[in-house]
Amino acid sequence: MDQQTEIELQAAAFRRLQKHLMEDRTDVQNIDMMNLTGFCRNCLSRWYQEAANEKGIEMNKGQAREIFYGMTMDEWKANYQTDASPEKQAAFEVAFEENVTKKG
């Protein structure tokens, strides 16, 4: 497979993942994703931002999240985010430390 085709397939897979998380499974909470997989929607938007920055495109966290989410974080939270239990919050602290802070 040539490199351009591979890039196009990777981009298509990313777009499908984004659609799945943003349209098909809005019920899945970021905290649950982070606790189970070590990444969430916010991580994906951060990786998008980092890729843009590496290409010399200025983009901040808020802009990247709005591009990925298709709305502001405040809108997402109002429409889809639910309260997390203290147990989930504690697990999140561990997952964030292991997957974001140490690798960040």
Side-chain angles (χ1 to χ4, degrees):
M1 177 182 324
D2 65 86
Q3 186 176 14
Q4 183 59 37
T5 301
E6 184 176 1
I7 290 167
E8 290 170 8
L9 294 175
Q10 290 168 342
F14 176 82
R15 287 189 301 271
R16 184 62 187 97
L17 173 62
Q18 182 182 24
K19 180 186 180 304
H20 182 73
L21 294 173
M22 304 315 298
E23 296 177 21
D24 303 338
R25 292 304 310 265
T26 56
D27 60 312
V28 176
Q29 298 297 301
N30 279 338
I31 196 167
D32 295 326
M33 290 177 61
M34 180 60 83
N35 291 347
L36 291 171
T37 66
F39 79 98
C40 67
R41 293 172 184 88
N42 293 335
C43 296
L44 289 166
S45 68
R46 179 173 46 89
W47 298 337
Y48 187 93
Q49 175 195 2
E50 290 169 356
N53 294 161
E54 287 174 11
K55 289 284 193 183
I57 300 166
E58 289 190 34
M59 180 181 299
N60 63 37
K61 179 171 66 173
Q63 291 168 320
R65 284 182 176 179
E66 192 163 345
I67 290 168
F68 187 83
Y69 281 79
M71 64 186 75
T72 67
M73 278 301 300
D74 287 341
E75 291 172 308
W76 175 266
K77 288 178 181 181
N79 289 321
Y80 303 109
Q81 188 167 307
T82 61
D83 291 333
S85 69
E87 295 81 15
K88 284 184 181 183
Q89 291 175 8
F92 173 81
E93 295 298 326
V94 172
F96 191 86
E97 175 69 22
E98 290 175 353
N99 296 289
V100 178
T101 305
K102 287 184 180 177
K103 295 181 181 186

